[in-house]
Amino acid sequence: MIIRGGRPLKGSVVTQGAKNAALPVMASALLLRGGRLTLERVPDLRDIHTMADLLRHLGAEIAFGGGRMTIDVPDELKWETPANLVRGMRASSLVLGPLVARCGRAVLPLPGGCAIGSRPIDFHLKGLARMGAEIDLEQGSVHARTNGLSAARLYLDFPSVGATENMLMAAALTPGESVIENAAREPEISNLARALRSMGASVEGDGAGTIRVAGTRDLRSAAVEIIPDRIEASTYLLAGVMTRGEVTVTDIEPEYLQALVFKLEEAGIPPGVSDDSVSVSCAGRSWNGITLKTLPYPGFPTDLQPQIMAALCMAEGTSVIHESVFDSRYVHVAEFKRMGGKIDIQGNTVVVTGVRKLTGAEVHASDLRAGAALILMGLAAEGDTVVRGLKHVWRGYERLMEKMTSLGADIELMRDDRSED
Ligand code: UD1
């Protein structure tokens, strides 16, 4: 992508459905035995298509268009997942819980995904083992089998989003009461809980640290709406900040953006918040350096760390960012420096010294959110920026070219690598 920077973005964008909510809800369809799950507001993204292909491989029939997806699940499912689909996306591990609960078996090559540190799935496996599954690792694949899971009390060492989702789905189809302690509290977990409730499971406590699930073998067809994507919305707001523009994101639940709103207030540029929109107005303004730490929800999201770091590169004064969710999520720093960012990494902490201007350069996106942050850097920089490695960005941002252009960004695709691996 070639970005001709220095133009303030102005206008409003409609928030897409949340990728990270749609993926687990899609996986939960596997719990149905001869039923249909209908999803509304599904974003048209590469990761969504990868999950759809994975579900098709397992036996589901899927129709998708205009934000609506129907997943028809047959009586019999396959339980072996193909390496080519699973390696490309870490969220494919979300089929593990449903498959083990539904088929009593699953084979899953250890998944891939963004290059942001080591991302094991040991919590997922421990939880399933505690529910009675036998787990073996053979030639790089997880083999799980059981004659029937049992309800259990589960505890997560860290409130992992994916592990909470896998446990929740397995427990929904397992008769008896399961309890997940130290569960993740992300809004995406509550979206999944709503889907499971409408299928007939009893789920209580989602959004809090302890989730109780009374499972049933008789889950039924259901429909569910996907929540708005808080990371996409926040990315556009930060694009508005960085270009000293005026950007509104609509169709959002502002509560999901609370951590960002607090941090922008602290930086001296408080956003405007209404019932279903958030806006920033930064024409001619400057903002202060701040301190922040990424944490599980409701803390500041790690998926927004590269984008806020981009904005802090242009703050007045010094900022300190501590990444506490992932190791080595600072691959973008080297690229930021090429554009004039003054950043010092010390372990999982970075110190960012604000500069007056960034300059265009040729940079490479190493993962999804790093890619988004480099686009923000390019929009704010003087001169032209070329961002390579955009295939990561298409995994998470629907119609990004169209949305950015509608805000007045001068961007162009030199080569469309949307279909490349
Ligand atoms: C999800 C999001 C991802 C986001 C992340 C943290 C989806 C599809 N992806 O990823 O965008 O960055 O939450 O908000 O929803 N961990 C273990 N063992 C495990 C599981 C996790 O050690 O079994 C560690 C991870 O390495 C990481 C931390 O726990 O350091 C959080 O990971 P987790 O919440 O599981 O992230 P994901 O569900 O993979």
Side-chain angles (χ1 to χ4, degrees):
M1 180 188 291
I2 179 154
I3 306 171
R4 295 174 197 94
R7 294 162 156 244
L9 298 194
K10 282 196 181 130
S12 91
V13 285
V14 176
T15 309
Q16 71 186 32
K19 164 179 90 75
N20 288 352
L23 291 170
V25 173
M26 286 171 73
S28 76
L30 296 174
L31 297 168
L32 296 170
R33 199 177 292 273
R36 167 179 284 192
L37 186 65
T38 305
L39 290 72
E40 303 287 352
R41 198 176 181 176
V42 179
D44 191 352
L45 297 169
R46 224 180 86 156
D47 275 7
I48 297 293
H49 288 280
T50 306
M51 181 60 91
D53 287 344
L54 178 54
L55 300 184
R56 283 192 188 105
H57 171 92
L58 296 170
E61 273 181 35
I62 299 184
F64 180 33
R68 163 181 281 222
M69 179 180 283
T70 55
I71 309 176
D72 286 292
V73 185
D75 280 347
E76 292 295 320
L77 281 180
K78 285 195 198 134
W79 39 264
E80 273 187 273
T81 58
N84 61 328
L85 294 176
V86 172
R87 292 246 161 80
M89 183 178 72
R90 179 179 160 82
S92 34
S93 59
L94 293 170
V95 300
L96 192 61
L99 283 181
V100 177
R102 165 81 145 73
C103 309
R105 295 202 61 177
V107 176
L108 182 91
L110 283 175
C114 279
I116 46 175
S118 69
R119 296 178 73 175
I121 57 165
D122 52 326
F123 304 157
H124 307 229
L125 302 182
K126 256 200 232 167
L128 288 172
R130 224 177 127 90
M131 294 180 79
E134 253 178 60
I135 311 273
D136 294 299
L137 262 181
E138 289 168 27
Q139 298 197 313
S141 291
V142 173
H143 290 246
R145 69 181 73 210
T146 173
N147 290 327
L149 294 176
S150 316
R153 280 183 74 82
L154 306 161
Y155 170 79
L156 295 174
D157 291 323
F158 183 89
S160 150
V161 174
T164 303
E165 290 164 345
N166 251 329
M167 298 304 92
L168 199 52
M169 290 188 277
L173 199 63
T174 304
E177 188 184 72
S178 293
V179 180
I180 310 168
E181 298 280 9
N182 200 25
R185 293 189 278 161
E186 271 69 2
E188 292 76 16
I189 304 279
S190 295
N191 205 168
L192 175 63
R194 269 199 295 286
L196 296 173
R197 277 194 289 268
S198 40
M199 288 183 202
S202 154
V203 181
E204 282 173 18
D206 51 286
T210 302
I211 306 181
R212 292 175 188 279
V213 187
T216 165
R217 295 297 294 171
D218 300 315
L219 294 178
R220 52 174 189 267
S221 296
V224 64
E225 180 166 346
I226 299 304
I227 59 170
D229 195 312
R230 58 201 168 95
I231 307 299
E232 190 221 18
S234 305
T235 302
Y236 284 103
L237 289 174
L238 287 168
V241 168
M242 281 198 77
T243 59
R244 296 197 159 84
E246 285 170 22
V247 170
T248 300
V249 291
T250 68
D251 301 71
I252 181 73
E253 176 53 72
E255 194 188 318
Y256 300 164
L257 268 52
Q258 242 176 45
L260 176 67
V261 169
F262 276 123
K263 286 295 150 185
L264 293 182
E265 282 172 358
E266 224 173 284
I269 40 171
V273 177
S274 83
D275 281 354
D276 69 346
S277 73
V278 178
S279 46
V280 291
S281 177
C282 290
R285 304 193 49 187
S286 55
W287 49 97
N288 311 317
I290 53 172
T291 299
L292 74 90
K293 183 174 180 176
T294 66
L295 283 169
Y297 191 86
F300 193 89
T302 174
D303 283 353
L304 209 51
Q305 177 258 106
Q307 300 91 312
I308 193 133
M309 189 189 295
L312 295 176
C313 280
M314 293 175 65
E316 301 265 340
T318 303
S319 300
V320 179
I321 301 177
H322 183 75
E323 171 61 59
S324 84
V325 178
F326 287 109
D327 282 331
S328 7
R329 196 173 192 171
Y330 289 136
V331 192
H332 47 282
V333 166
E335 304 304 291
F336 282 16
K337 285 185 177 174
R338 284 178 202 276
M339 302 186 68
K342 275 186 79 182
I343 306 161
D344 206 23
I345 307 185
Q346 286 159 14
N348 278 332
T349 301
V350 298
V351 178
V352 184
T353 309
V355 294
R356 288 218 176 276
K357 66 168 192 175
L358 298 168
T359 46
E362 191 163 324
V363 290
H364 190 268
S366 53
D367 65 66
L368 166 54
R369 306 304 170 183
L374 285 169
I375 294 174
L376 302 195
M377 293 285 281
L379 290 169
E382 274 181 19
D384 292 357
T385 293
V386 175
V387 184
R388 298 190 185 279
L390 283 174
K391 63 179 187 194
H392 297 292
V393 175
W394 309 137
R395 291 183 35 216
Y397 292 87
E398 187 183 39
R399 295 188 289 114
L400 176 120
M401 295 300 294
E402 196 183 314
K403 286 184 173 180
M404 285 291 185
T405 309
S406 79
L407 294 173
D410 187 351
I411 57 177
E412 196 184 326
L413 280 187
M414 295 161 74
R415 189 164 55 85
D416 195 337
D417 59 359
R418 236 170 275 222
S419 54
E420 284 176 25
D421 252 343

